[in-house]
Amino acid sequence: MYQKSVLPNGIRVVSEAIPYVKSVTLGVWVGTGSRSEQQHNHGISHFIEHLLFKGTTSRSAKDIAEVVDEVGGQLNAFTAKEYTCYYIKVVDTHMELAIDILSDMLINSRFDPEDIAREREVVLEEVKMYEDSPDELVHDIHLDRNWSGHALGRNILGTAESISAFDRSLVLDYYHDFYTPDNMVVAAAGNLSHELLVELTDRFFSKLASKKAAVVHPVPLLTPTRIFQAKDTEQVNLCLGTVSVAQNAPEIYPVHILNNILGGGISSRLFQSIREERGLAYSVYSYQTNYSDAGLLTVYAGTRPANTEQVIQLILAEISKLKKAGITEKELTRAKEQIKGSLLLGLESSSSRMSRIGKMEITLGKFITLDEVVEKIEQVTVPTIQSITEQLFRPETFCFTALGPVDEKVLPSDITF
């Protein structure tokens, strides 16, 4: 049910027909995010995402909102580090309207100086709000210091200094460099015809003709760092990490399983040891950050200052157990079933299916079927997990970040796994 076409101007169109639903979710994916930025325009990808909702040459911001509401639709967007997505979900009979709205926003936005000035203040408030959320802020600090000086390490929002310098000229320069047809994917899923989708996309996006600016993205190099940043909070927020793999690496599947066993769910080793058995944290988990050419595997925990040292010791102990004793066949089977179940349950809506095919096309340039994913998961063995554990968890790649009322003495001077 998956199909792909390429328009004469270079826009890729991908779709997945789901004939038993009454909705269509349409997304326009642009291959730019905070990784494409420089220090002087840090945060501009996210800023442009905001501006495209502020009105076009034919529709005001209110007009856009009203026309979507009139058909019961849902319109939104998000910015990531390597892409930006604008999407709308409507009843299947309104697919043409959905493409009309998105194309109008992406091609005909006004970028009015007054809107830029007003939205600058909105985003500055968003930055302040984020800085008041230590459980989120610690992850950005962790990436920024350990991928030091690299765009992938910088946060998506930008800084007060960079955002304050945004003007129409800077915005348009970046927009014209990256919002080009060869850098766009139109993805749709739901009760649709691929042929009609291609026809409508060609009609509404055909006047886009420029080419994306050539950009060389250096591979980020991990600079293992130990960071203790003071902040007046009730909890200490911790990130412990190590180098991981790129999202298209063959090892991505065993790393997903390893992450699941370590801290990927309520049955994981970290959750059971730290929360369930000892009650030392409400939130404790591990996660992967995988990009086109690099990755990190990170453990997060939030705990009271008095418990910080014990929580760190428990995390290190679980990693050490993984390296020395490995995992059991039962753990491997459970992790495989959990990942497969989560994947399948997460694809029960047109929105999630659109997101899957759009993200794969913009990041990998190809479609991977569910059967292929399941096959790769099933091929992972206990020795495979042991090998990847030894590859990832090495003292020389250990990186650590603590945010809150914390003393450096909580971290052992000599880390061994």
Side-chain angles (χ1 to χ4, degrees):
M1 306 294 275
Y2 168 85
Q3 290 181 273
K4 175 180 175 178
S5 301
V6 181
L7 298 185
N9 64 356
I11 289 182
R12 290 162 282 169
V13 182
V14 295
S15 74
E16 185 173 1
I18 315 173
Y20 53 82
V21 301
K22 292 296 294 178
S23 67
V24 168
T25 302
L26 180 80
V28 179
W29 297 72
V30 186
T32 189
S34 56
R35 183 174 190 173
S36 303
E37 301 164 359
Q38 306 299 317
Q39 195 68 53
H40 74 280
N41 61 8
H42 177 200
I44 202 163
S45 301
H46 172 257
F47 193 70
I48 288 175
E49 177 215 313
H50 276 237
L51 291 177
L52 293 197
F53 285 82
K54 297 306 170 187
T56 71
T57 53
S58 60
R59 292 183 174 105
S60 67
K62 184 179 180 182
D63 292 336
I64 293 172
E66 286 180 346
V67 73
V68 174
D69 282 348
E70 283 171 1
V71 298
Q74 302 165 8
L75 175 66
N76 214 329
F78 61 88
T79 303
K81 298 208 172 184
E82 295 187 309
Y83 51 82
T84 305
C85 177
Y86 303 84
Y87 62 95
I88 183 169
K89 183 175 184 177
V90 293
V91 175
D92 52 14
T93 54
H94 296 299
M95 185 170 75
E96 181 174 344
L97 175 64
I99 296 179
D100 181 9
I101 293 168
L102 285 181
S103 65
D104 194 23
M105 290 170 57
L106 269 85
I107 299 173
N108 302 316
S109 281
R110 295 176 304 168
F111 298 111
D112 186 277
E114 291 185 5
D115 290 332
I116 290 173
R118 186 162 44 247
E119 208 59 27
R120 183 188 299 118
E121 297 304 311
V122 171
V123 176
L124 286 172
E125 290 300 323
E126 189 176 356
V127 170
K128 292 176 183 177
M129 179 180 69
Y130 190 69
E131 289 175 348
D132 283 339
S133 304
D135 56 328
E136 297 182 19
L137 181 61
V138 67
H139 302 282
D140 276 349
I141 296 171
H142 189 66
L143 278 179
D144 181 55
R145 302 288 182 84
N146 290 290
W147 276 341
S148 179
H150 196 280
L152 270 182
R154 295 197 290 263
N155 68 30
I156 292 167
L157 296 181
T159 64
E161 181 181 6
S162 63
I163 295 165
S164 297
F166 292 168
D167 58 21
R168 192 170 192 268
S169 176
L170 198 66
V171 166
L172 286 176
D173 284 346
Y174 191 88
Y175 169 80
H176 288 308
D177 278 347
F178 292 98
Y179 279 68
T180 59
D182 59 316
N183 200 35
M184 287 184 181
V185 171
V186 172
N191 190 16
L192 57 83
S193 156
H194 182 77
E195 291 73 20
L196 177 59
L197 174 66
V198 171
E199 176 190 326
L200 292 171
T201 304
D202 191 34
R203 185 201 311 173
F204 285 103
F205 284 89
S206 60
K207 64 179 175 180
L208 282 176
S210 58
K211 297 292 184 181
K212 182 175 80 70
V215 178
V216 177
H217 291 307
V219 178
L221 298 177
L222 183 69
T223 308
T225 308
R226 300 182 182 192
I227 303 147
F228 299 85
Q229 185 163 319
K231 192 173 180 67
D232 186 15
T233 56
E234 294 298 319
Q235 280 192 319
V236 174
N237 291 273
L238 305 168
C239 282
L240 297 85
T242 186
V243 67
S244 187
V245 300
Q247 61 189 6
N248 60 348
E251 300 88 353
I252 193 71
Y253 297 100
V255 175
H256 278 316
I257 292 174
L258 170 62
N259 174 68
N260 183 277
I261 293 169
L262 177 62
I266 60 174
S267 65
S268 68
R269 293 188 177 194
L270 288 174
F271 192 92
Q272 289 297 313
S273 172
I274 294 173
R275 174 168 165 161
E276 295 299 283
E277 295 175 14
R278 297 174 177 85
L280 295 174
Y282 174 77
S283 183
V284 55
Y285 55 86
S286 64
Y287 67 95
Q288 286 213 82
T289 307
N290 305 107
Y291 299 111
S292 57
D293 54 8
L296 285 179
L297 193 156
T298 305
V299 173
Y300 166 81
T303 189
R304 293 196 302 271
N307 296 332
T308 303
E309 185 171 3
Q310 186 180 1
V311 168
I312 292 172
Q313 293 286 1
L314 288 168
I315 292 171
L316 295 175
E318 290 300 333
I319 294 172
S320 182
K321 286 179 191 175
L322 272 175
K323 285 195 72 174
K324 293 175 181 177
I327 66 167
T328 65
E329 286 286 353
K330 182 178 180 180
E331 282 182 306
L332 178 62
T333 300
R334 184 173 61 231
K336 287 180 177 180
E337 293 304 311
Q338 184 178 347
I339 291 171
K340 289 188 294 183
S342 178
L343 175 63
L344 294 171
L345 291 174
L347 294 177
E348 291 194 334
S349 70
S350 62
S351 301
S352 57
R353 293 198 178 209
M354 181 284 294
S355 183
R356 181 172 186 268
I357 63 175
K359 182 179 178 182
M360 280 194 294
E361 183 60 40
I362 201 71
T363 59
L364 302 176
K366 63 181 180 180
F367 175 68
I368 304 173
T369 68
L370 288 174
D371 287 344
E372 289 175 302
V373 173
V374 170
E375 182 182 359
K376 294 291 187 182
I377 292 171
E378 290 296 352
Q379 289 174 354
V380 177
T381 64
V382 169
T384 308
I385 298 297
Q386 184 64 40
S387 175
I388 202 71
T389 302
E390 293 172 359
Q391 175 185 329
L392 298 189
F393 289 108
R394 293 171 288 146
E396 61 269 27
T397 62
F398 173 80
C399 46
F400 174 83
T401 304
L403 177 65
V406 62
D407 190 296
E408 295 186 17
K409 294 179 182 178
V410 299
L411 184 66
S413 57
D414 184 28
I415 302 296
T416 57
F417 295 130

